[in-house]
Amino acid sequence: MTTGNPSDIVSSPTVAAAIGAKVDATNGQSLGQTIRSSIIQAGSLDGLQTVGNVGTASRTLSAYLSDAVNVLNYGGTAGTTDSSAALSGAMSAMAANGSTLVFPYASSGYTLSSAGSYTVTTPGSWDFRGSHITGAGVGDPGTGTGTLLSPYTNPYLITSNRKWIYDPAAIPQPANGTLVAESLECLPNRVNSANANANRNWIACRYVGADTGSGGTSSIDLSTEVENWVLNVSGNHGLAFEIDTNFNAAVTDNQWTTGLFLTGGGAAGTNVNSVALSIMHADYNGGWLPWTTGISIRETTDQIQQYKSSASEAGFFQQAFDETNTLISWLDKMGNRTDQIVTAKKGFVATAPSGFDDFQATRQTSADTGFFIRYFDENANTLASVDKSGGATFATLAVTNHSTPTASTTCASGEMHADDSHLYVCTSTGTYKSVALTAIQ
C-alpha cells in the first residue's frame, strides 16, 4: 500500500493493519499520533476532536462551536424559506447555556413564517448582524406587537443588529446591595508622565455618538436619537436614570465638578431651533398628563443661575405661555420682567427692588382705624376689604349680592345672599335655606 511516497509500500494482510503501520511516509506519523501540516478536504468531523493549546484545559471541537448558537446549525436558511423551526431549536439551545444566538448576515435576509413564541425574554445576546428578518414570527412593531426584533419593554422599536436580555432578579440577592445587569467602570484618572502634555489627562468612560445625516426638508421628517431610555411604571416605583456625583475627598485642582453637563458646538452663525433640556409628559393618545413636579431642586446654595455671555446678547432668561401658546410672563436678558398684569392694562402695576415687598401698609397706632385697602363695584358696594385691625371681608365669603334666589337656584355650600326681607344661606345639598330678617335680633 502506498501512503504518500510511491516507493513506500506496506505489506499487510489487511488494510487496517497497513494503516496502523504507516499513514504518512513524509512525516512518519502513525495512527493516533499528531498529524502535522495536513489539509483535510471534504468529509466530516463528529465534533469529539479535542482542541488544546487554548487555555489550561482541553475541550472538544463541539463545545467550542456551541459557545455561540448559530441559527444555520439548526436548519435555518437565508431567503424566503421558513426558518421558524430552526429558530425554535436555536432558542432551546440558547436557553440551556445563556449564550449568543447568531443570524449570520445574508443580503437576502431570513423569513419566519410561523408566529411562534418569540417574545424573546430568554437571557442572552441576540446578534442579528443587520440581516433583514421578516414574516409573522417578528410580529408587527407598527401596531405595538413586535416580538423577535423588538425590545419587550417597547414593542414599537425594531432591532437591526444586537440586543441583550438580562434577568438580574433571578439571581439571589444579598441582604444589602443591588444587582447590576451590566457594569462598565473606568479606573481612576491620574497623571500620566508619558502624555504629550504632562499637565493634561482627559478621559471618557463611554462615548456614544451619532450623526443626523442630511437630506431632510420641510416635508421630510428625519429624527435621530443618540440614546433612548424607557422605564415603564407598572405598579412599582422606579428611576429612569440616576447620576451620582459622590464627593469623597477635597478637590485640589480648583476645577468645578458637575453632575450633568449639557454642551454643544457648531459653526458660527448656525442658529437653529434647539432646546437644551425638554420636559414633557402626555397620555398614550397625546392628551394632557402633567408631571407631579417638573423640576425638584433641593439642598443647593443657588438653585438656579442664568448668565448672558455679552452685554448685547438678546433673548430671554425665562418665558411662560398659556394653553394657546400666548406669552403671559417673561424675563429678558436685560433684566426686564413682563407679566400678564401689564398686558391686561391693570390700573396699578408695581415692580419692587430686589429684596423688598411690592406694597407695604402700616397703621400709626393701635387705635388707628379705617382700612388698608378696599375694592368696590360700580355701585360702590364693597367687594373686598382689609381693615387696620386685620379683618378681611370678601364678596365670596360674606354677603355676595342683594338678590332673591328662586326654588330652582343652585349654589355652593356656604354662599349667602340677602334681600330686603330674608337671608339666604346655601347648604351642603346645594340649595338655599332662608330666614326672615325680622326673626334675627
Side-chain angles (χ1 to χ4, degrees):
M1 176 179 179
T2 178
T3 59
N5 190 328
S7 63
D8 190 1
I9 304 298
V10 177
S11 299
S12 177
T14 64
V15 175
I19 294 176
K22 192 81 170 175
V23 296
D24 190 338
T26 302
N27 291 323
Q29 303 300 321
S30 298
L31 190 67
Q33 293 182 326
T34 302
I35 301 176
R36 296 185 176 90
S37 303
S38 299
I39 298 176
I40 301 175
Q41 295 181 344
S44 62
L45 299 174
D46 60 10
L48 299 179
Q49 291 74 24
T50 300
V51 179
N53 297 323
V54 176
T56 58
S58 296
R59 301 168 62 203
T60 64
L61 177 61
S62 177
Y64 279 103
L65 295 177
S66 296
D67 287 341
V69 179
N70 193 316
V71 71
L72 299 184
N73 295 343
Y74 294 85
T77 304
T80 59
T81 302
D82 183 16
S83 296
S84 299
L87 175 59
S88 296
M91 288 179 64
S92 297
M94 178 186 179
N97 59 17
S99 62
T100 298
L101 193 154
V102 178
F103 282 79
Y105 174 75
S107 59
S108 57
Y110 295 85
T111 302
L112 301 175
S113 300
S114 301
S117 179
Y118 306 137
T119 54
V120 191
T121 56
T122 302
S125 173
W126 299 75
D127 191 353
F128 302 111
R129 306 246 173 129
S131 296
H132 186 52
I133 304 176
T134 59
V138 301
D140 185 3
T143 61
T145 57
T147 54
L148 178 68
L149 301 174
S150 299
Y152 81 91
T153 56
N154 195 333
Y156 287 93
L157 300 182
I158 304 173
T159 305
S160 63
N161 288 72
R162 185 182 291 271
K163 64 185 287 187
W164 289 267
I165 303 294
Y166 302 110
D167 188 11
I171 302 174
Q173 187 171 136
N176 297 302
T178 302
L179 291 179
V180 181
E182 182 174 324
S183 177
L184 185 154
E185 291 193 68
C186 296
L187 293 178
N189 195 6
R190 55 201 177 275
V191 175
N192 190 332
S193 58
N195 287 351
N197 182 350
N199 297 322
R200 181 182 185 275
N201 202 49
W202 289 15
I203 67 170
C205 211
R206 184 182 184 189
Y207 172 81
V208 181
D211 193 322
T212 63
S214 60
T217 67
S218 58
S219 60
I220 299 178
D221 186 359
L222 299 178
S223 177
T224 301
E225 292 181 328
V226 176
E227 292 206 27
N228 187 330
W229 300 81
V230 175
L231 173 67
N232 295 319
V233 182
S234 304
N236 297 311
H237 79 283
L239 185 65
F241 197 87
E242 179 178 348
I243 299 175
D244 290 333
T245 303
N246 300 316
F247 298 92
N248 299 320
V251 178
T252 59
D253 60 5
N254 296 321
Q255 300 298 315
W256 286 87
T257 299
T258 306
L260 177 62
F261 179 52
L262 299 175
T263 185
T270 305
N271 298 321
V272 298
N273 294 329
S274 58
V275 178
L277 178 63
S278 178
I279 301 176
M280 296 182 289
H281 203 203
D283 63 30
Y284 290 134
N285 295 321
W288 189 50
L289 187 64
W291 288 104
T292 303
T293 302
I295 298 178
S296 177
I297 304 175
R298 306 180 186 183
E299 299 177 10
T300 64
T301 302
D302 298 324
Q303 294 198 344
I304 296 177
Q305 290 184 335
Q306 297 171 298
Y307 298 86
K308 64 177 181 178
S309 60
S310 66
S312 61
E313 183 179 1
F316 298 88
F317 284 133
Q318 294 180 11
Q319 288 181 296
F321 302 85
D322 65 10
E323 69 281 359
T324 64
N325 205 36
T326 301
L327 271 172
I328 58 175
S329 177
W330 60 95
L331 174 64
D332 65 23
K333 290 186 176 180
M334 299 301 293
N336 300 314
R337 179 167 186 96
T338 305
D339 293 293
Q340 190 180 32
I341 187 173
V342 175
T343 59
K345 298 180 181 179
K346 300 298 182 181
F348 175 78
V349 178
T351 300
S354 175
F356 292 87
D357 297 328
D358 282 55
F359 178 82
Q360 290 183 332
T362 306
R363 67 178 180 179
Q364 299 301 315
T365 66
S366 60
D368 191 8
T369 60
F371 295 88
F372 285 132
I373 191 170
R374 298 181 73 179
Y375 298 93
F376 303 91
D377 65 11
E378 67 279 5
N379 297 315
N381 297 313
T382 299
L383 298 176
S385 65
V386 178
D387 64 29
K388 291 188 177 181
S389 296
T393 301
F394 297 91
T396 56
L397 298 177
V399 177
T400 57
N401 56 34
H402 186 275
S403 63
T404 304
T406 64
S408 60
T409 302
T410 59
C411 57
S413 179
E415 185 178 345
M416 293 186 295
H417 295 269
D419 56 22
D420 292 338
S421 60
H422 288 78
L423 174 66
Y424 305 89
V425 180
C426 187
T427 66
S428 59
T429 61
T431 59
Y432 285 102
K433 293 289 187 178
S434 64
V435 59
L437 295 179
T438 56
I440 300 176
Q441 300 297 322

